[in-house]
Amino acid sequence: MTAAPPFTERPPRAEAVPVVYDTPHSGRFYPPDFASGQAQTILRRAEDAYVDELIGAAPDAGIAMIEANYPRAYIDLNRDAEDIDPDMLDAPWPGDIKPSKKSEMGLGLIRRFVTPGVAIYDRKLSVDEVRRRLDAIYRPYHRVLAEMLARTKSAFGFVWHVDWHSMKSVGNAMTPDGAGAQRPDFVVGDLDGGSAARTFTEAAIELLRRRNYKVTLNDPYKGASIVRRYGRPAEGVHTIQIEINRRLYLNEA
């Protein structure tokens, strides 16, 4: 099996606008070195399945777009590079690590669980394989996303960045709203106003509500590492996260 590139960059196919889209969790290339203890059909439950296809026409509207090709079960691009669970490794990490609550829940940079109680691995991972995933996939994605944002901001003086995701229709034990929670159609997150001008956030919410979708703001998702990393409204970089309820476009079972 030939390795896939870490991401696919899609430049605008029409006159460019000051908008960048990224989708870090819709990748579905499962490399041979994954060596998971689970079947791919199980691992795919962790994907933000087909979000890249849902927003795939964006370049026709002048929007620059980047999409991950590898799944977040392999490496999660929406986590900090230091968010590593040391208990998943077969040797000490040779550097600083900062496991977050996400790692404690099994949802760090290297994910422990697909869904509650369903482990991805039946083995410990080596330091070298985690380093390879960081160097080959994580860092190239973020380098190019940062370049896209900088280039767009340079051209227009500001940039509107949407980090696209999808969510299960019902929460579980690993989600912030808890098991059994019913989700709205969309969740827009802006770190409680910290990652984007409120006018941008409100415009996104209003656009969705005009189409009769139920939308919440920062509940249950405020935004994760990508929103924290890139959203700098005082510097003209406005980042929001949008979660799409999967019941709107696929059969979750």
Side-chain angles (χ1 to χ4, degrees):
M1 182 184 295
T2 303
F7 57 84
T8 300
E9 183 179 359
R10 302 194 185 281
R13 292 189 290 261
E15 182 177 354
V17 296
V19 182
V20 172
Y21 281 178
D22 89 287
T23 170
H25 287 166
S26 57
R28 45 191 174 271
F29 174 77
Y30 288 79
D33 70 353
F34 198 156
S36 166
Q38 295 289 353
Q40 187 172 313
T41 51
I42 301 298
L43 294 172
R44 293 206 64 193
R45 296 177 185 173
E47 292 176 14
D48 288 354
Y50 307 114
V51 170
D52 55 323
E53 294 186 10
L54 293 177
I55 64 173
D60 293 332
I63 296 169
M65 176 175 156
I66 181 172
E67 59 194 58
N69 289 328
Y70 287 75
R72 71 167 158 184
Y74 188 66
I75 188 166
D76 194 333
L77 302 176
N78 198 26
R79 298 289 182 263
D80 295 339
E82 299 81 20
D83 194 356
I84 296 171
D85 179 356
D87 291 337
M88 293 186 67
L89 305 178
D90 66 1
W93 186 258
D96 293 334
I97 57 172
K98 298 175 183 177
S100 71
K101 290 183 179 179
K102 292 292 187 181
S103 275
E104 292 174 9
M105 296 170 64
L107 301 174
L109 177 78
I110 303 298
R111 192 174 172 122
R112 181 186 289 272
F113 298 112
V114 181
T115 52
V118 181
I120 292 176
Y121 301 99
D122 55 8
R123 63 185 180 92
K124 297 279 190 177
L125 279 70
S126 72
V127 167
D128 283 346
E129 65 183 311
V130 175
R131 277 176 157 175
R132 284 195 299 271
R133 296 180 194 187
L134 278 164
D135 291 342
I137 299 165
Y138 183 96
R139 292 190 175 98
Y141 183 93
H142 282 283
R143 182 181 66 251
V144 172
L145 175 55
E147 290 170 354
M148 293 169 68
L149 293 170
R151 188 165 59 245
T152 304
K153 181 190 170 187
S154 177
F156 294 93
F158 67 96
V159 55
W160 292 323
H161 170 211
V162 184
D163 178 41
W164 287 95
H165 297 264
S166 71
M167 59 185 172
K168 297 175 178 65
S169 61
V170 178
N172 62 38
M174 297 195 306
T175 61
D177 46 353
Q182 299 293 316
R183 266 74 180 278
D185 297 322
F186 288 86
V187 176
V188 177
D190 68 354
L191 299 180
D192 291 322
S195 66
R198 186 48 60 97
T199 50
F200 177 38
T201 303
E202 290 177 347
I205 292 171
E206 177 61 22
L207 182 119
L208 292 166
R209 285 178 175 165
R210 285 205 306 265
R211 287 157 175 77
N212 297 316
Y213 291 116
K214 183 179 179 181
V215 187
T216 60
L217 173 62
N218 293 311
D219 180 22
Y221 295 107
K222 299 177 186 291
S225 177
I226 286 176
V227 176
R228 293 195 308 270
R229 182 171 183 164
Y230 296 107
R232 297 288 184 272
E235 300 171 18
V237 181
H238 304 272
T239 299
I240 60 174
Q241 176 179 289
I242 296 182
E243 297 269 0
I244 309 167
N245 194 314
R246 291 177 197 158
R247 70 166 175 249
L248 295 175
Y249 69 94
L250 56 75
N251 181 320
E252 292 178 90

